[in-house]
Amino acid sequence: MKQNVLAELVEIVGSANVSEAASDRITHSYDATKEQFLPDVVVYAENSEQVSKIARLANTRKIPLLPRGAGSGFTGGTLPIRGGIVLVLTRMNRILQIDSDNLTAVVQPGVVTADLQKEVEKQGLFYPPDPASKDFSTLGGNVAECAGGPRCVKYGVTKDFIMGLEVVTPQGDIIRTGGQTLKNVVGYDLTKLIVGSEGTLGIITEITLKLVPKPEAKKTMLVQFETIEGAAQAVSAIIREKIIPTTLEFMDAATIDCIRSISPIALPATCNALLIIEVDGDPELIEKQAKRIMTVIEPLGIVEVKVAETSTESEKIWQVRRNVSPSLRKVNPDKFNEDIVVPRSKVPDMIRALEKLSKDYNVPIVNFGHAGDGNIHVNVMVDLREPEMEEKVHEVMEKIFATAVGLKGSLSGEHGIGTSKARYLSMELDSATISYMQAVKNAFDPNNILNPGKIFTADREEQISSE
Amino acid sequence: MSSNKKLIDLEEQIRQCVKCGVCQAHCPAYRENRREGDVARGKIALAASLLDGEVGLEKSLEDDISMCLMCGSCVNKCPNSVATPEIVGAIRREVTANKGLSLFGKSLATVINSPALLKTLTKGGAFLSPLVLKKVPQSSGLRLRFPAPLMKNRTVPKLPFRNLFNLVPEFIKGVANKPTVGFFAGCSITYVFPAIGKTMIDILVNMGYSVHVPKSQGCCGIPALSAGAGSIVEELAGRNSTAFGKYDKEHIITACASCNGGIGEYYQTMHENDQNFTDKVIDFTVFLKQNGMVEKLGAMKRWSERVKVTYHDPCHLKTQGITAEPRDLLQALPNVDFVEMENASLCCGLGGTFSAYHYECSKAIGAKKIPGLQESGAQQIATACPGCIIQLQDIINHAGLEVKAVHLLDLIREALAKE
Ligand SMILES: Cc1cc2nc3c(=O)[nH]c(=O)nc-3n(C[C@H](O)[C@H](O)[C@H](O)COP(=O)(O)OP(=O)(O)OC[C@H]3O[C@@H](n4cnc5c(N)ncnc54)[C@H](O)[C@@H]3O)c2cc1C
Ligand code: SF4
Ligand code: SF4
């Protein structure tokens, strides 16, 4: 990095918040993908004005600029694959307002998802999107990736809760999209465009969120099925009954095998699929809903049902779910984790296809996820030390994506494209659509400084040269 | 003799980190500073780079490695249980081996090793005045933990005139058929809170045990470990296992969570771990519960005037899963109304020698406990670690609250006195 650029950065944020020391470059070189690329310099920003000045500087000097939240992304969104400035937003972490009359909250992007949830719940309010990473991911990162979670079956994903944004453009302008009102049709809906843009169109510096009243009570059930078809039919049966549970999590047989020995609830060998169903709302209503659910799923090959009567029992059920991730490594050391999504009714077809792929290629594939919205976490578990395993995994991945798209599904339900899935983009989108998206990127960021090389493989790499 | 692991010995652990970032939610240093270099994931990435030769022991790396309380909160929640405190300890030892102890923190070693410097630097209100330090052995962790000149405005307890070894004999014979137990006192109990040690020993004697309190026991080594003083840790480990080797015993009891983490947990990770010593280490809350203390206290008539007490989980017990036993004792105490507080398990911020290098940050971490404490309405906050008591009282004083930090054994002593 040129000395004058460094000096300007120091001028903007102060010397304590700029570093090009090797150790700082190392600790800001990765995210949850485990891949590593060294940035040239790391900058911590504290307000929108600083962000704006940094963007202006990066744009004039044509230096890649990478917004970074908690670095918990699963697709390489914050990786500085072409070096440049990593711009860390974790210290912009103030909750600016919680408005219980209008049911809104205004936050800075570095606020941790669960921290906001805790604060609003103290006032009887509720922010539903609940990625499994909510205890550490930032809301800025959630907005940039349009994060989802188990509760999204009933409530929707991050984009359904974003009313307005303050965004710093790649040119350094500070713009506002949307607003504080539920209804707003003035001009283009830039809010929706920025949500899920993976830090490629602008840097989110303030977020206005929609809140809902906190549900009074919830009820958790764990149902074990003989077959995955039974579990899938149960999902359809529940929805047909006009009940939308808060969560409808499933695990396939391979997943159950991983946790059987440590599960706090006995999982007999006859159990080949499992659903965790939770309903929330008025206490009387959810009792009724729980009964109706039990009635409609009864004929579908149930091994065992557990309905939590206390919060401790409900905790125990969720513990079964939490056991999953840490147990996967028992299968094999290296995990390739994808989050494909298919129409709800196609979940069994997808699982069958995955089982077949697993057999054909002789690699364990463990699947669990959100049955309610067809979002399947596919985990191909391998040992990369085995010869030619890497190539094999890529082949399997490609087949998985092709199957998902073939079933009218999608490559990613939650985690985004980033660098990890860029090369599969054209499996789902035709070239005209991709060109339109690139035109949007070009309009926002003609110098391609903001998070270059993400989402699209063939962007204008030649234009970017770090000084 | 037991010896510390080197960074290379921990390579497998280091490679187990999947960079998920889960530790961010639980690391007190990260939660305060929100910098990647402060969290376990960042430190492990640095450790990996050190092993791969991509980075040296440069100043900024030392700073990141110094920003760790070795509290183990990350290990507990890490999906792969990566032992960050061990990794941090190993890097700190490399730093000291390379550049000498003094580079770590603000010339701590210079202060510790030079009484003359100490004298000139020490002014009124200091914790360990030179006079007092004369009574504390060279290798004691107290010197590393509370180097008075480095911590402006720290409020500290007054030191008693007599230390524990002046108060109790080395061996107390119990009833015929009861086994012998050892009591590992540790520096804080020996020199700052001898009454806690005395209470523990009295209880053991009352139960009929023969009690061995070897005078030759030393510091557990946690502060030296935290400061990267590897050879001191090795020396202390050897000395302590020899000291307690004298009688065949059933248990070696600690009433200090840090000591328990040191002689019980850390020594176990060393090469040539003396299992005959380390396997016998037990925390007093676990021991008392096993020996019927909960029932005994529960059967006593409840006092009409009780004090409202909450509990702080010391990291070194929390990470071993010892959270129920102290609460069971508190609930049973006839002189106490026990209330939970929010964030009971949050680190107090002391962290070995952390608060000596980073006093401001340490205070800020501890201050996160204040709202929960206030909301609980407790008059006293009990804990099971004298280090936490000193830190908690300091934080409470700075917040201007009237709450008193006490040891669980203080409350038990009070209850048993009425028997
Ligand atoms: C254990 C684990 C579980 C997870 N579970 C889920 C889950 O259930 N559902 C789910 O959806 N995801 C999940 N994720 C993925 C990840 O946590 C989410 O994508 C999250 O939203 C990322 O937030 P972050 O703060 O870590 O962002 P980062 O990883 O730091 O960044 C992600 C992307 O957002 C951009 N970005 C960050 N902040 C801003 C900003 N202020 N302005 C503009 N761009 C920005 C970055 O440039 C990057 O492209 C999980 C991850 C882990 C490690
Ligand atoms: S929780 Fe464990 S595996 Fe995850 S980043 Fe932290 S240390 Fe690494
Ligand atoms: S030991 Fe404590 S301070 Fe150190 S990295 Fe782990 S959680 Fe953070």
Side-chain angles (χ1 to χ4, degrees), chain A residues 117 126-131 151-152 155-156 161 210-212:
Chain A
Q117 287 170 333
F126 195 51
Y127 176 69
D130 59 343
R151 290 204 289 244
C152 297
Y155 291 100
F161 290 85
K210 183 174 90 174
L211 305 174
V212 295

Side-chain angles (χ1 to χ4, degrees), chain B residues 139-141 145 164-165 168 170 180-191 193-194 196-198 200-201 204 210-223 233 235-245 249 251-265 267 277-278 280-284 287 384-386 407 409:
Chain B
S139 59
S140 163
R145 281 187 135 175
L164 182 68
F165 298 128
V168 295
E170 203 166 35
T180 302
V181 294
F183 179 57
F184 185 91
C187 303
S188 303
I189 288 184
T190 306
Y191 300 104
F193 302 111
I196 296 172
K198 178 80 170 45
M200 189 67 232
I201 293 162
L204 294 170
S210 294
V211 186
H212 182 211
V213 195
K215 281 194 172 35
S216 55
Q217 62 176 284
C219 173
C220 66
I222 281 273
V233 181
E235 189 191 308
L236 289 169
R239 172 152 140 209
N240 287 327
S241 79
T242 312
F244 281 88
K249 12 182 111 60
H251 289 300
I252 296 167
I253 293 151
T254 60
C256 167
S258 299
C259 292
N260 191 281
I263 67 172
E265 276 192 297
Y267 290 5
F277 173 61
T278 55
K280 294 192 171 151
V281 175
I282 186 169
D283 175 66
F284 77 102
F287 178 86
C385 180
H407 197 280
L409 282 167

Side-chain angles (χ1 to χ4, degrees), chain B residues 13 48 103 127 146 175 182 213 277-278 303-304 338 374 390 410:
Chain B
Q13 289 264 345
L103 255 167
F127 182 25
F146 302 105
V175 299
V213 195
F277 173 61
T278 55
W303 296 15
S304 50
F338 174 63
Q374 238 168 336
I390 298 175
D410 291 325

Side-chain angles (χ1 to χ4, degrees), chain B residues 193-197 199-200 203 284 303 333 335-336 380-383 389 404-417:
Chain B
F193 302 111
I196 296 172
T199 304
M200 189 67 232
I203 292 173
F284 77 102
W303 296 15
L333 277 165
N335 47 340
V336 162
Q380 298 190 359
I381 178 165
T383 187
I389 297 180
K404 192 171 162 208
V406 298
H407 197 280
L408 235 168
L409 282 167
D410 291 325
L411 296 166
I412 296 179
R413 179 197 317 124
E414 198 182 67
L416 293 178

Side-chain angles (χ1 to χ4, degrees), chain A residues 21-24 26-28 30-32 34 36 44 68 70-72 88 90-91 93 110-112 118 122 135-136 138 326 329, chain B residues 16-22 24-26 30 33-37 41-43 45-46 49 54-55 58 60-61 64 79-80 342:
Chain A
S23 60
D24 287 308
I26 290 169
T27 53
H28 296 82
Y30 50 75
D31 63 5
K34 276 167 72 180
Q36 274 187 283
Y44 276 72
R68 180 184 167 99
S72 72
V88 190
T90 51
R91 285 184 182 156
N93 66 335
V111 171
V112 171
K118 226 183 271 160
K122 278 185 191 161
D135 287 336
F136 48 97
T138 67
R329 289 172 61 90
Chain B
Q16 294 262 316
C17 171
V18 294
K19 300 211 165 69
C20 62
V22 167
Q24 290 175 95
H26 309 282
Y30 178 80
N33 302 323
R34 306 194 53 72
R35 251 185 97 255
E36 182 73 30
R41 177 173 69 170
K43 296 181 207 306
L46 291 174
S49 294
E54 293 161 355
V55 65
E58 51 187 69
S60 66
L61 181 140
D64 287 344
N80 299 324
E342 207 187 325

